[in-house]
Amino acid sequence: MHQAVKPQGAAGVFMGWLLESGNAQQNRATVEALEPPPGASVLEIGFGPGHALEMLAKKIPLALVAGLDHSPLMVARAKRRLNGRRGDAALDLRLGEAGDLPFPDEKFDLVFAVNAFHQWPDQERALAEMAGVLKPGGDLVLSIRDFRVEGRFEPAGKGQQTARRAVDMLRELGLQVRQREIVHSPRRATFLVRGRKCGRFED
Ligand SMILES: C[S@@+](CC[C@H](N)C(=O)[O-])C[C@H]1O[C@@H](n2cnc3c(N)ncnc32)[C@H](O)[C@@H]1O
């Protein structure tokens, strides 16, 4: 399997470093836009080296930092990284599949994924699982990168198409959806797709 989809072995260690530097700008911009309330429980799907979770825990005091990734290498690496670097928050990083989340319903105030949604084999199912573990009133955020010029990794504009599909899927699940575009440079941008789960007493 492609190393970016499931980092493993010696090449996976190298891929971890590449993800860390290549996605740093997108992770920083995404964390700046995430606004969980202090004391929140947050969950990241496909956390890779754990950079976004670390930055988020440094920015806001959290009760629980949780995550799921299907790469044992990335789970081990993110655990090492977050040891002692998450304030007072509890830590729960698990090995697993995005389409089958081993967390209780309505557990999290915020569920998010950075540069991972496009890799999931069953995106509808994964989003339904993410919406299920979200508390009413909580946010599901997908951070999707877009290359503005033809490059080595993917065709220009592919991220925008992926973001459009994500918006449709989240609406289908009954979430209130907003989309924001962050332009990093003439070459790169990030789409932030945010779906809010209606509160218990809202229509
Ligand atoms: C491109 S990396 C991005 C990592 C990190 N979010 C970042 O921005 O640096 C995608 C991550 O998602 C994980 N992943 C991909 N498909 C997955 C799936 N179906 N279930 C769980 N994790 C998955 C990979 O193991 C990898 O760590």
Side-chain angles (χ1 to χ4, degrees):
M1 191 183 283
H2 193 284
Q3 286 291 346
V5 178
K6 189 171 190 176
Q8 52 197 326
V13 174
F14 180 59
M15 178 52 69
W17 289 110
L18 280 186
L19 289 174
E20 178 115 25
S21 53
N23 295 340
Q25 189 181 40
Q26 182 182 0
N27 271 295
R28 263 198 306 276
T30 303
V31 167
E32 267 172 37
L34 295 176
E35 288 162 346
S41 295
V42 306
L43 171 68
E44 181 178 7
I45 308 300
F47 48 73
H51 194 193
L53 284 175
E54 182 194 351
M55 286 190 288
L56 190 57
K58 281 185 175 157
K59 178 182 150 190
I60 294 170
L62 299 169
L64 173 62
V65 170
L68 177 130
D69 198 293
H70 69 176
S71 160
L73 189 68
M74 292 297 107
V75 174
R77 183 170 172 153
K79 277 186 180 165
R80 277 199 306 275
R81 165 178 223 129
L82 281 147
N83 261 337
R85 293 198 208 159
R86 56 175 199 280
D88 293 331
L91 185 65
D92 185 1
L93 299 184
R94 300 195 195 185
L95 184 65
E97 270 299 317
D100 187 15
L101 298 185
F103 300 100
D105 285 350
E106 302 190 358
K107 169 101 181 146
F108 298 99
D109 302 278
L110 169 70
V111 182
F112 71 101
V114 184
N115 194 22
F117 170 72
H118 64 288
Q119 297 181 339
W120 300 340
D122 188 340
Q123 294 171 325
E124 274 105 342
R125 184 174 162 155
L127 292 184
E129 288 277 296
M130 290 167 81
V133 300
L134 196 59
K135 290 179 190 171
D139 281 347
L140 189 167
V141 178
L142 298 174
S143 171
I144 299 166
R145 74 159 176 224
D146 190 52
F147 291 108
R148 295 295 155 95
V149 290
E150 296 298 324
R152 274 185 303 144
F153 300 111
E154 59 195 45
K158 188 158 178 230
Q160 186 167 27
Q161 292 166 19
T162 305
R164 279 199 200 115
R165 276 207 321 279
V167 167
D168 290 344
M169 288 179 203
L170 291 177
R171 289 208 171 113
E172 217 26 57
L173 287 168
L175 303 192
Q176 293 171 342
V177 186
R178 282 182 291 146
Q179 183 183 293
R180 194 177 136 202
E181 185 182 346
I182 302 169
V183 177
H184 302 294
S185 72
R187 302 177 70 83
R188 274 179 92 134
T190 294
F191 287 96
L192 283 183
V193 178
R194 184 184 296 263
R196 180 155 295 170
K197 188 168 176 174
C198 295
R200 263 182 238 291
F201 302 109
E202 292 171 32
D203 285 329

